[in-house]
Amino acid sequence: MDLRKTRFTEMLIRANGLDPKDFQCWVFCPGMRFHSPDKWWGDQGRRDFPHEGLDFCLYEDGSGRLRRLDRQTRIPVMHDGVVRSVFADYLGQAVVIEHEKTQPEIDTLISIYAHTRPLDHIKPGAVVSRGDIIATIADTSRSKATILPHLHVTLGLPSPDLVFETFVWNDMRDPGLVALLNPQGVIDWPWLALDPPKTKRSCLY
């Protein structure tokens, strides 16, 4: 299913005081992309489950240098919506937001912003508008996974059987609860995928 582009990257650049001319493109290690079977951290072995979303961590600046998002990075929401769940994930917390009529032929869409530190007012029932800051990226320095700070984004179509009050990570892996969509098409910004030989140098500490 093709999704209409959002202004997510533009909003993130503006929210963090970056110069759009100095944010040339997103950069993805092979394991960062949707449905990747591999990790991009640690031993870069196989994941337990294909990647449920897209990991935003690296970008190329105007001089061609590789830059990273950090735990100060402010995260904007893609669309108007309502916070339906906030739960602990492997590296921080995940915010689940329900959106109505944001895409052609889609009545209800959920976006999940994971590995974050939500702002104090981001709780179930909170109403958010496109571009509102909902969180910052979580600090991963104490993680046993030895992984860089990053934002995980999942998009999906929720089933009527989905219970937001008890939502956990594994619910994203159940196609009977969430039909996952590829977020790559909505990021509205150039991107490139690193070749495997460059992955270890760029995606690890």
Side-chain angles (χ1 to χ4, degrees), residues 107-170:
D107 290 332
T108 304
L109 175 76
I110 59 172
S111 60
I112 302 172
Y113 306 80
H115 313 330
T116 75
R117 294 180 58 197
L119 302 186
D120 291 342
H121 69 282
I122 298 300
K123 303 180 186 300
V127 176
V128 294
S129 299
R130 185 179 69 167
D132 284 354
I133 304 304
I134 57 172
T136 55
I137 293 178
D139 181 5
T140 62
S141 61
R142 297 183 180 181
S143 169
K144 295 180 181 179
T146 314
I147 190 169
L148 295 171
H150 66 281
L151 170 66
H152 169 103
V153 172
T154 286
L155 298 178
L157 306 179
S159 161
D161 297 327
L162 180 63
V163 179
F164 286 105
E165 289 77 10
T166 57
F167 197 99
V168 294
W169 193 275
N170 280 345

Side-chain angles (χ1 to χ4, degrees), residues 39-46 144-148 199-200 203-205:
K39 302 175 185 176
W40 56 270
W41 66 93
D43 63 2
Q44 298 186 330
R46 289 282 175 168
K144 295 180 181 179
T146 314
I147 190 169
L148 295 171
T199 299
K200 287 185 179 292
C203 301
L204 303 177
Y205 281 101

Side-chain angles (χ1 to χ4, degrees), residues 26-27 29 32 56-59 66-68 148 194 202-203:
W26 288 107
V27 176
C29 302
M32 292 177 172
F56 294 92
C57 177
L58 306 172
Y59 67 94
L66 202 60
R67 298 296 184 102
R68 298 171 179 166
L148 295 171
L194 283 179
S202 305
C203 301

Side-chain angles (χ1 to χ4, degrees), residues 11 18 21 33 48 75 81 88 101 113 157-158 170 172 205:
M11 292 186 292
L18 302 174
K21 295 179 181 178
R33 297 177 64 192
D48 295 332
I75 302 164
K101 302 291 185 182
Y113 306 80
L157 306 179
N170 280 345
M172 286 188 272
Y205 281 101

